[in-house]
């Protein structure tokens, strides 16, 4: 076999390897973007849950130790 024939056969093989590398790199970037979006949505949900937890903790404390400002209960006197 001559060198020209080997170079001619090597060219399409190299092209296939290069194209495969380009396509697999594109998939990885899409996966990374999806993971970043999911991470951001989870962080937002976590912040909402922490805020709800804080509000519920305050409500529990207000129920345990009611003060005149925090109490919504009206005390009635017996007639």
């Amino acid at each position: 076999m001559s060198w020209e024939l080997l170079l001619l056969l090597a060219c399409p093989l190299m092209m296939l390897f290069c194209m495969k590398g380009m396509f697999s790199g594109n998939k990885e970037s899409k996966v990374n973007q999806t993971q970043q979006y999911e991470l951001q949505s989870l962080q937002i949900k976590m912040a909402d849950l922490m805020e709800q937890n804080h509000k519920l903790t305050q409500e529990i404390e207000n129920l345990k130790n009611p003060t005149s400002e925090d109490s919504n209960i009206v005390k009635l006197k017996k007639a």
Side-chain angles (χ1 to χ4, degrees), residues 13-29:
L13 289 174
M14 293 299 290
M15 184 63 123
L16 288 175
F17 286 119
C18 290
M19 293 299 286
K20 182 172 173 41
M22 286 174 42
F23 285 120
S24 67
N26 191 16
K27 289 178 185 176
E28 291 174 5
S29 66

Side-chain angles (χ1 to χ4, degrees), residues 31-54:
V31 168
N32 287 339
Q33 289 175 352
T34 304
Q35 288 175 345
Q36 287 176 352
Y37 175 75
E38 290 175 356
L39 179 63
Q40 287 175 347
S41 66
L42 286 174
Q43 287 174 338
I44 291 170
K45 288 178 184 178
M46 189 172 85
D48 289 340
L49 288 173
M50 289 175 70
E51 183 179 346
Q52 288 177 359
N53 185 21
H54 182 68

